[in-house]
Amino acid sequence: MSQTKVKERKLTIARAMAEAVAQEMRTDDRVFVMGEDIGQLGGVFGNTRGLHEEFGSKRIRDTPISETAFIGAAVGAASDGMRPIVELMFVDFFGVCMDAIYNLMAKNTYFSGGNIPVPMVLMTSTGGGYSDAGQHSQCLHGTFAHLPGMKVVAPSNAYDAKGLMLAAIRDQNPVVFMFHKALQGMGWLGTEPDSVVHVPEEQYIVEIGKANVVKEGTDVTIVGITSGVHHGLKAAEQLAKIGVNAEVVDLRSLVPLDRETVLNSVSKTGRLIVVDEDYHSYGMSGEIIASVVESGIKLKSPPQRIAYPDIPIPFSRPMEQWALPNAEKIVTAYGKMENK
């Protein structure tokens, strides 16, 4: 009996996000999009490309350059039964609209005793590596994950991007959707080839709060998110050449955080390396390590983290590249483990 072969359909993260939004807008009239340059331009990072042509300016709304205004408007619309999606072009801009994000979007459900949900998606770009300096290059995963009331997701590939976006739009809670610029598939930024993967045309959900073991191994667990996953996979290839079998875990979501998958992996390997392009201190990397240590798992060596130094992001390319996580730093970290 012959089996029908599924035709491979590779998309970039940008295209996968736009497709997810379009599919949900076709079935749910409450969904609309707001932000700067998300209309005819299709978004600086391609996340809304083609949507204005199909849905028009009433549902794909270009806004003035006032993040506080359009994010505040989205909170009101969500509280009144709509399901808005807003784009904060760069996560670095959160400072000008943090009151709307954290004192309104994240808290209003709690303030109302659960009577007024705020089902909205705040999508925003993260990441550096292309010499755009300290106001356009941060990740800030820990900043948003630290504040209660919001779910936080961050895909490493196009398949997850579509499934997480559909899940985020349908969620009754506010969801911060953080996409890394170097994974988007925009030519002018450069693109990680492994982020471009097969994406089914039909709708599907990737569960928010469920990590994915993207490579199984026995000797060390490498935990990452967005770009950190790809650094981990490249490091695993290098480690394999010296006989080390690394397991790579893609968190996919920071809130909720799938500690169980991480703990199960580290229980097997006995070693942990966490990779994050966010800052070294007070962030995701420390939270993962603390979770493992607090669990009482017996480790073969102290955990290691590869993260961004606690410095403003440099404009100089050599300086920025020195600061960014990479596969070589992960391999070096494993070497330190072996020597202890």
Side-chain angles (χ1 to χ4, degrees):
M1 186 174 178
S2 63
Q3 292 183 341
T4 303
K5 187 176 180 180
V6 176
K7 185 177 179 181
E8 192 171 53
R9 177 177 176 265
K10 288 192 172 184
L11 296 183
T12 64
I13 288 181
R15 291 306 308 149
M17 290 173 65
E19 180 171 274
V21 173
Q23 289 179 340
E24 199 66 7
M25 289 184 72
R26 291 175 193 135
T27 60
D28 190 340
D29 292 338
R30 298 173 298 171
V31 180
F32 69 99
V33 188
M34 289 194 296
E36 299 157 3
D37 296 324
I38 56 93
Q40 292 183 347
L41 182 65
V44 172
F45 305 109
N47 306 325
T48 55
R49 188 169 294 171
L51 299 184
H52 186 268
E53 289 82 353
E54 179 174 355
F55 299 102
S57 58
K58 286 188 176 181
R59 296 184 70 190
I60 308 297
R61 298 190 171 202
D62 272 325
T63 65
I65 304 176
S66 177
E67 289 82 4
T68 299
F70 65 75
I71 292 173
V75 173
S79 302
D80 200 36
M82 302 296 284
R83 303 191 87 87
I85 303 167
V86 293
E87 180 175 288
L88 178 63
M89 192 180 293
F90 293 87
V91 73
D92 317 71
F93 298 170
F94 82 100
V96 302
C97 52
M98 196 56 169
D99 186 59
I101 294 171
Y102 189 54
N103 281 326
L104 301 179
M105 185 185 87
K107 294 179 179 177
N108 278 2
T109 301
Y110 177 79
F111 288 161
S112 69
N115 292 313
I116 304 176
V118 186
M120 61 178 283
V121 179
L122 172 64
M123 57 182 180
T124 187
S125 73
T126 65
Y130 62 105
S131 298
D132 217 359
Q135 293 179 338
H136 298 79
S137 305
Q138 298 171 98
C139 277
L140 303 182
H141 298 137
T143 300
F144 289 88
H146 176 68
L147 302 171
M150 308 176 286
K151 293 187 177 182
V152 181
V153 302
S156 69
N157 62 77
Y159 178 89
D160 288 351
K162 179 176 178 178
L164 286 170
M165 178 57 77
L166 286 169
I169 298 171
R170 297 175 187 180
D171 203 294
Q172 282 295 93
N173 302 281
V175 180
V176 180
F177 192 106
M178 307 179 84
F179 57 90
H180 195 290
K181 295 187 284 291
L183 309 181
Q184 278 301 98
M186 303 299 288
W188 60 280
L189 287 169
T191 296
E192 168 57 55
D194 290 339
S195 68
V196 183
V197 298
H198 172 67
V199 178
E201 189 168 358
E202 65 270 14
Q203 292 182 313
Y204 60 90
I205 293 295
V206 171
E207 181 183 351
I208 296 175
K210 186 64 178 174
N212 183 33
V213 178
V214 293
K215 179 191 176 300
E216 294 188 351
T218 56
D219 298 323
V220 59
T221 298
I222 302 173
V223 176
I225 200 163
T226 63
S227 62
V229 177
H230 298 283
H231 296 316
L233 289 169
K234 288 178 173 62
E237 291 179 1
Q238 295 184 30
L239 290 168
K241 295 176 183 177
I242 58 173
V244 177
N245 187 5
E247 181 151 298
V248 181
V249 177
D250 181 354
L251 290 175
R252 300 198 290 200
S253 168
L254 290 177
V255 182
L257 179 61
D258 185 358
R259 291 178 172 85
E260 182 179 0
T261 294
V262 174
L263 296 179
N264 288 341
S265 177
V266 179
S267 294
K268 176 175 60 174
T269 66
R271 295 185 178 92
L272 171 66
I273 300 173
V274 188
V275 189
D276 187 18
E277 199 178 314
D278 198 359
Y279 296 115
H280 180 274
S281 299
Y282 311 107
M284 181 201 95
S285 56
E287 182 63 28
I288 296 297
I289 290 172
S291 297
V292 171
V293 172
E294 288 170 351
S295 74
I297 293 173
K298 187 175 181 180
L299 297 173
K300 298 174 182 177
S301 58
Q304 301 285 320
R305 56 177 138 176
I306 309 299
Y308 210 93
D310 296 327
I311 58 173
I313 296 175
F315 172 75
S316 163
R317 179 172 176 79
M319 292 176 67
E320 184 185 24
Q321 292 300 316
W322 168 83
L324 285 166
N326 58 41
E328 289 70 29
K329 291 181 180 180
I330 300 171
V331 174
T332 299
Y334 181 80
K336 293 177 181 178
M337 290 178 156
E338 284 285 84
N339 295 326
K340 292 192 177 183

